[in-house]
Amino acid sequence: MSAGAMRERVTLQAPLRTSDGAGGAVVTWSDVATVWAHVMTRGGGERPAGERMEARRALQVMIRYRSGVSADMRLLWQGRALDIRSVSDIDGKRHTLLIDCEEGGT
């Protein structure tokens, strides 16, 4: 994929867990980097969330390779939080990462 196809800006975020003082933890998100990306919608659906149905949309995000990107992180795109489901070095040459994401619930 050419660099010109990466026209969207996404922000990689990592979770920060802080003790809540009662034996649990509070999760906040810290920006790691804002990078150029190509975002592709891959469908969607609904799934149960408590007593209601929650809409989810599947997306694939392609960025230039960067180390340290993992499924415990998330992406912000157009003001939406995208949960990372998997990260793949698609050509095995550390040029491009393909990130499978899901919107909703975060």
Side-chain angles (χ1 to χ4, degrees):
M1 171 169 290
S2 70
M6 295 185 189
R7 297 185 176 136
E8 304 278 347
R9 296 294 273 174
V10 298
T11 300
L12 286 159
Q13 292 187 318
L16 292 174
R17 290 173 178 77
T18 308
S19 173
D20 66 2
V26 175
V27 177
T28 58
W29 295 91
S30 173
D31 292 353
V32 173
T34 299
V35 298
W36 290 103
H38 178 68
V39 181
M40 302 157 280
T41 301
R42 294 291 180 211
E46 293 182 334
R47 70 178 187 192
E51 294 183 17
R52 63 182 177 82
M53 294 299 285
E54 180 178 73
R56 305 288 285 186
R57 182 165 61 156
L59 299 109
Q60 284 187 324
V61 178
M62 191 173 301
I63 65 172
R64 289 177 192 231
Y65 183 87
R66 76 182 282 118
S67 62
V69 179
S70 66
D72 66 333
M73 301 172 89
R74 75 177 185 181
L75 293 174
L76 291 182
W77 172 64
Q78 297 182 348
R80 301 176 204 149
L82 307 178
D83 299 326
I84 296 177
R85 298 295 174 218
S86 67
V87 180
S88 304
D89 176 4
I90 58 173
D91 62 3
K93 297 179 182 178
R94 296 185 174 194
H95 291 159
T96 308
L97 289 179
L98 183 64
I99 305 169
D100 287 316
C101 299
E102 195 171 66
E103 178 184 17
T106 303

